[in-house]
Amino acid sequence: MTNEFPQVLTIAGSDCDGSAGMQADMNTFFARNVYGMSVLTACVAGNSYGIEDSITLAPDFIAKQCEVLAKDFKIRAVKTGMLADLTTIKSVIKLLKEYDFGKLVVDPVIITKHGNMLLEEEAYDELRTNLLPLADIITPNFYETEKIAEIKLSNETDIMQAAEILQSDGVKNIVIKGKHDGQSDVVKDYVRLENGKSFWLSHPFVDTEHINGTGDTLSACIVAELAKGFNVEDAIRIAVKYTYECIAHPISVGHKFGPINHWAK
């Protein structure tokens, strides 16, 4: 039957070393048995030591990529990753309203897992105000949650309150990724669903420098499972478990900060 195989899309940047961004998304799609496509927003020149240069693609070219995919494929779910700047964010919001790419998962690439701001404030405001409410699921990290909810997260009660704030701002389902600081033997992700259900998902802390692409992988796996027909809760549970396995079984690639292992089962 034509076009019935599960098809998914990532709208994200390219990391040339393959550890994160579009490449991590595509590796995840392949591992989770869905057909993945990509709309590039930016390209980064970097390796396991760090990023040395980057460029942002023109809005017209981003739009053309979406147009040609929409003409041909039956995309069931889509995610956004690195959107780089205000112009790109505005363009992507317009495109997501124009084309039906199914369920939307937003990985709000705002702040690194170490707390460093990635977006200028004007671009952040656009993402928070106009992109997040379009999402079916968002997957912020600890610092991104603090920024979006505008509260300090000091304990589990604060994290639960932050999720309530995000829902009151129009976000449907939220996965708040646990802080990986090595201070605890356990990492806990918090999930709050549109139906009011909430729960914690815990897994052992893995002491490794091979964690590049963790957030990309989590959101991409959620997209893959949604495309295969799983409901939101099951897709999140599967994705958290899969991402943990990818971290817990590292592969030796590069000299410093390496990728997670998408072959892990």
Side-chain angles (χ1 to χ4, degrees):
M1 191 178 296
T2 304
N3 245 358
E4 289 305 313
F5 191 85
Q7 298 158 55
V8 294
L9 173 64
T10 174
I11 303 175
S14 165
D15 282 68
C16 69
D17 71 349
S19 69
M22 178 273 292
Q23 285 84 346
D25 294 337
M26 295 296 283
N27 284 341
T28 304
F29 295 156
F30 185 83
R32 302 307 303 177
N33 299 311
V34 296
Y35 185 79
M37 287 166 267
S38 62
V39 168
L40 289 186
T41 60
C43 295
V44 168
N47 55 29
S48 67
Y49 293 111
I51 294 171
E52 297 188 11
D53 201 1
S54 65
I55 61 170
T56 302
L57 299 185
D60 287 349
F61 186 71
I62 294 172
K64 179 57 71 172
Q65 293 176 82
C66 287
E67 178 190 331
V68 298
L69 294 179
K71 285 179 181 177
D72 190 14
F73 300 99
K74 187 178 179 180
I75 295 168
R76 299 184 186 180
V78 57
K79 65 155 284 187
T80 62
M82 183 176 70
L83 300 181
D85 58 21
L86 177 61
T87 300
T88 302
I89 293 170
K90 284 186 172 181
S91 298
V92 169
I93 290 170
K94 180 177 180 293
L95 293 164
L96 288 170
K97 291 178 177 178
E98 183 175 352
Y99 299 110
D100 180 9
F101 291 138
K103 294 283 189 182
L104 171 61
V105 178
V106 172
D107 181 8
V109 183
I110 301 167
I111 305 174
T112 70
K113 62 178 68 72
H114 306 294
N116 300 314
M117 193 73 178
L118 295 171
L119 285 178
E120 294 182 356
E121 201 64 30
E122 192 177 11
Y124 159 73
D125 289 341
E126 181 70 19
L127 183 147
R128 184 184 189 278
T129 303
N130 294 317
L131 178 60
L132 295 188
L134 296 180
D136 293 284
I137 306 169
I138 68 168
T139 60
N141 64 30
F142 179 89
Y143 296 107
E144 289 163 343
T145 303
E146 285 191 326
K147 177 73 173 175
I148 300 167
E150 299 179 342
I151 65 169
K152 185 73 175 174
L153 302 182
S154 301
N155 50 50
E156 291 184 357
T157 300
D158 292 340
I159 292 171
M160 292 186 286
Q161 181 185 353
E164 291 181 14
I165 292 170
L166 295 180
Q167 280 193 329
S168 69
D169 287 342
V171 176
K172 300 179 182 71
N173 302 283
I174 302 135
V175 182
I176 299 176
K177 294 174 285 192
K179 192 176 181 182
H180 300 183
D181 56 9
Q183 300 301 307
S184 172
D185 293 334
V186 175
V187 176
K188 300 179 73 174
D189 302 319
Y190 181 67
V191 179
R192 185 172 178 86
L193 302 178
E194 186 177 14
N195 63 11
K197 183 177 181 179
S198 63
F199 51 90
W200 295 86
L201 295 173
S202 302
H203 45 87
F205 173 77
V206 180
D207 187 10
T208 176
E209 291 186 332
H210 284 66
I211 55 172
N212 285 4
T214 301
D216 306 287
T217 298
L218 175 69
S219 53
C221 188
I222 294 172
V223 165
E225 303 311 316
L226 290 174
K228 289 189 285 188
F230 286 97
N231 63 38
V232 168
E233 179 178 345
D234 289 343
I236 290 170
R237 290 183 181 276
I238 292 168
V240 169
K241 185 176 188 302
Y242 171 70
T243 304
Y244 166 71
E245 295 296 336
C246 292
I247 298 169
H249 299 88
I251 53 175
S252 180
V253 175
H255 291 84
K256 195 166 177 61
F257 301 107
I260 62 177
N261 177 14
H262 293 97
W263 288 302
K265 299 294 183 185

